[in-house]
Amino acid sequence: MTNCYLGIDAGGTSTRAAVVRADGTCVGVGRAGSGNPISAGPDHAAAQVLLATRHALEDAGIGADRMVGGIAAMAGSRVARHADWLNDPLHEAGIGISLTLEPDLLAAFLSATPQPDGYAVVAGTGAVAVRVRGFELEAVTDGLGWLLGDAGSGFWIGHQAIRHALAALDGRAPASTLTDALLESLELDPEAPAEVEGRPGAIQHAVDLLYTWRPVELARLAPLAFTAAQAGDPAAVEIVDEAGRALRAALTSMLVPEVSGPLVFGGSVLTQQPAVASAVAAAVPGQEPLLTSDGLVGAAVLALRRGGVTVSEATFDRLSETIAARRN
Amino acid sequence: MTNCYLGIDAGGTSTRAAVVRADGTCVGVGRAGSGNPISAGPDHAAAQVLLATRHALEDAGIGADRMVGGIAAMAGSRVARHADWLNDPLHEAGIGISLTLEPDLLAAFLSATPQPDGYAVVAGTGAVAVRVRGFELEAVTDGLGWLLGDAGSGFWIGHQAIRHALAALDGRAPASTLTDALLESLELDPEAPAEVEGRPGAIQHAVDLLYTWRPVELARLAPLAFTAAQAGDPAAVEIVDEAGRALRAALTSMLVPEVSGPLVFGGSVLTQQPAVASAVAAAVPGQEPLLTSDGLVGAAVLALRRGGVTVSEATFDRLSETIAARRN
């Protein structure tokens, strides 16, 4: 009978669970819906964490009595500091351990490295940079949401690209390939109808359509900017460059001399756009950025560490490999 | 018994009515709530137009049978081309004329001049530029709303100022007087609490508060940028300059050689910020911009013109003077 630890990575879209041994071997993984108590509500979130946990225990073929500790990583763990909303339903369902809450950004960092100190920049729909020290989140910048921050994020890039595409169509900015790319992605005809009340008809159709989206969904169109920038469109190049500068400024604001690295990048803007990643990584000379997709490995690292288990490089490598293998 | 004409300026906040004679003498004005069928709903909007009309007739001390024609100027008259929603309730209430719908931007232009051709730029919460030819709106640019356009508007300026204030507080941008100005206007203490989860506490409080606003309400804070710019804050100066460039680009895109002016400015950004107004007016050399506050005079001009009355400069001056006198 080996003791096991439970790592939960609770995101806004899905919740992932891993059951791991102290040597880093993952024996089971599970998955469920949104486990974020702010966006999904605490009852729904707790139910999804419980479901992901059950799936992981089934996958491992072990009972809940084998679990000796665990953590749940999630955004907004500040406002959900008390975990009763999560642990009470777990206990009622016969899972006796009490999960502690950890920041999802710390789990993201520790998904790429077992080091106690370093930096992470995550730029997906949103954008945030953090400094990690002694396995704790020491400082955070941005992550202020699409309206007030998230400079350089997928939303920011998509929003700027759409605004520029419409301004060009409207005659207020130089012509750009972003315009045709936008109309094509919205399946609108750039030619007809020629004019609606003194402006190109396509503008009114695009605007009417885009205002039916939730604002944050403009992030979907960030790829238009990357494609146009690669083809040399000056406006798109400027938008992508500006995103890189904004993310670099966020990272730079986190730097202190005592922490040199590692540097961890997450989110599609940084993991799928090498040009942006290079521009941002240049802020920390000599550090090749480590990429991470989600925080499940880091959640498992934290589950072990908070349970008193030292996570060596060998243990970390085993966690990474066995979690990846179980997920496939 | 002199025939009278009804001019309605139906805005999103209030509806204004003027009863005028063919010689330009205003004999009555009235006021009511929102008359915009899109934001207020057609039933409510029609009721407010009717109420403003009744107030104007009472003010004039005449019966509805004296009215021989009229128009209602409003935004979105494109989507409300059919005026049955407005005229049916008027007819039921014993007001026999049928109002035709006119663009509010045309009324704004004709509130400052009786000329058939020219340009108008309106930058309040939103921003839009138009070309007028032969008493019709010939071309329009921007006015695409806070998310997709309105470049250089009060929203745009307030939004940029807030983003910069937070970025500076977050360490991602150089310190700016915008930060203290923002926190003061939100009545937040810049000092306490020192830190919330790795970031200055004031940021989280400001963000939590600002996300309770409707996005468009960020326009309220545009004055922070004007004040800071006047005091020489570099970031604020850049924001205000950029707003001027955006509005100028909108106006420039409307220019054609056959139309030289006049140039009409409306909205608080252009009527209360002379530095912005000068930067924008420079796009049309030799034209001193005429300022307009709302579209009531222009609605009266259109009521006369659509009723077959030529509006001379003398008639226009009489309209302006007598409407202003009645409103005071």
Side-chain angles (χ1 to χ4, degrees), chain A residues 77-78 81 103 128 137-152 155-156 159-160 162-163 166-167 170-173 195-200 203-204 206-208 210-211 213-215 218 246 249-250 252-254, chain B residues 77-78 81 103 128 137-152 155-156 159-160 162-163 166-167 170-173 195-200 203-204 206-208 210-211 213-215 218 246 249-250 252-254:
Chain A
S77 56
R78 173 181 69 90
R81 195 171 282 141
V128 63
L137 220 50
E138 186 174 71
V140 178
T141 191
D142 208 348
L144 301 185
W146 61 271
L147 183 64
L148 303 177
D150 287 354
F155 170 81
W156 189 92
H159 186 213
Q160 295 298 317
I162 293 164
R163 287 184 66 96
L166 293 172
D170 221 6
R172 291 176 282 120
E195 207 168 89
V196 177
E197 295 267 321
R199 60 167 106 231
I203 289 188
Q204 199 63 52
V207 167
D208 289 347
L210 289 166
Y211 274 111
W213 296 13
R214 288 181 304 125
L218 301 188
T252 301
S253 77
M254 291 289 95
Chain B
S77 56
R78 172 180 69 92
R81 195 170 283 142
V128 63
L137 221 50
E138 185 174 71
V140 178
T141 190
D142 208 349
L144 302 185
W146 60 272
L147 183 62
L148 302 179
D150 287 354
F155 170 82
W156 189 93
H159 186 214
Q160 295 299 316
I162 292 165
R163 287 183 66 95
L166 293 172
D170 222 6
R172 290 177 283 121
E195 208 168 269
V196 176
E197 295 266 324
R199 61 167 107 231
I203 288 188
Q204 199 62 52
V207 167
D208 289 347
L210 289 167
Y211 274 110
W213 296 12
R214 289 182 302 126
L218 301 188
T252 301
S253 76
M254 291 289 96

Side-chain angles (χ1 to χ4, degrees), chain B:
Chain B
M1 289 276 285
T2 316
N3 289 338
C4 288
Y5 299 81
L6 178 64
I8 301 279
D9 182 32
T13 306
S14 70
T15 297
R16 298 156 290 269
V19 175
V20 298
R21 293 195 197 131
D23 70 350
T25 306
C26 175
V27 295
V29 296
R31 195 181 173 88
S34 172
N36 186 290
I38 296 167
S39 59
D43 292 347
H44 180 87
Q48 297 304 311
V49 170
L50 178 58
L51 189 59
T53 301
R54 281 185 165 147
H55 288 163
L57 289 171
E58 283 166 27
D59 187 38
I62 62 173
D65 57 317
R66 295 273 294 282
M67 312 301 293
V68 293
I71 69 96
M74 59 185 63
S77 56
R78 172 180 69 92
V79 290
R81 195 170 283 142
H82 299 287
D84 294 347
W85 62 272
L86 178 60
N87 286 316
D88 288 350
L90 253 66
H91 297 165
E92 284 163 26
I95 295 168
I97 57 170
S98 288
L99 301 178
T100 52
L101 302 185
E102 296 283 350
D104 59 342
L105 294 164
L106 182 59
F109 175 79
L110 292 169
S111 284
T113 174
Q115 295 296 314
D117 302 346
Y119 303 101
V121 187
V122 178
T125 299
V128 63
V130 301
R131 180 171 67 242
V132 174
R133 183 118 60 141
F135 297 107
E136 301 285 351
L137 221 50
E138 185 174 71
V140 178
T141 190
D142 208 349
L144 302 185
W146 60 272
L147 183 62
L148 302 179
D150 287 354
S153 67
F155 170 82
W156 189 93
I157 293 167
H159 186 214
Q160 295 299 316
I162 292 165
R163 287 183 66 95
H164 190 88
L166 293 172
L169 188 57
D170 222 6
R172 290 177 283 121
S176 162
T177 60
L178 286 169
T179 299
D180 279 354
L182 172 67
L183 297 179
E184 195 180 324
S185 78
L186 298 178
E187 299 182 353
L188 295 174
D189 182 346
E191 302 301 334
E195 208 168 269
V196 176
E197 295 266 324
R199 61 167 107 231
I203 288 188
Q204 199 62 52
H205 295 300
V207 167
D208 289 347
L209 181 58
L210 289 167
Y211 274 110
T212 67
W213 296 12
R214 289 182 302 126
V216 76
E217 292 181 273
L218 301 188
R220 276 200 241 157
L221 299 186
L224 302 185
F226 296 126
T227 304
Q230 267 156 9
D233 182 89
V237 167
E238 176 55 27
I239 290 167
V240 174
D241 284 356
E242 179 65 22
R245 285 193 292 272
L247 295 171
R248 183 176 166 154
L251 173 55
T252 301
S253 76
M254 291 289 96
L255 301 181
V256 291
E258 307 81 50
V259 177
S260 58
L263 175 60
V264 175
F265 281 176
S268 57
V269 174
L270 287 170
T271 61
Q272 292 168 33
Q273 302 296 330
V276 180
S278 303
V280 180
V284 190
Q287 287 288 342
E288 187 67 26
L290 308 171
L291 305 186
T292 181
S293 55
D294 66 34
L296 185 55
V297 170
V301 169
L302 284 165
L304 293 178
R305 280 205 56 85
R306 302 310 189 213
V309 179
T310 302
V311 179
S312 66
E313 289 282 350
T315 304
F316 178 79
D317 290 346
R318 199 172 298 120
L319 278 174
S320 300
E321 284 158 24
T322 55
I323 286 176
R326 280 267 159 201
R327 296 173 85 171
N328 288 333

Side-chain angles (χ1 to χ4, degrees), chain A residues 37 42-43 45-47 49 70-74 76-92 95 97-102:
Chain A
D43 291 348
V49 170
I71 68 97
M74 60 185 64
S77 56
R78 173 181 69 90
V79 289
R81 195 171 282 141
H82 300 287
D84 294 349
W85 62 271
L86 177 60
N87 285 316
D88 288 351
L90 252 67
H91 297 163
E92 283 163 26
I95 295 169
I97 57 170
S98 288
L99 301 178
T100 52
L101 301 185
E102 297 282 349

Side-chain angles (χ1 to χ4, degrees), chain A residues 52-72:
Chain A
T53 302
R54 281 185 165 146
H55 288 163
L57 289 170
E58 282 167 27
D59 187 39
I62 63 175
D65 56 318
R66 295 273 296 281
M67 311 301 292
V68 294
I71 68 97

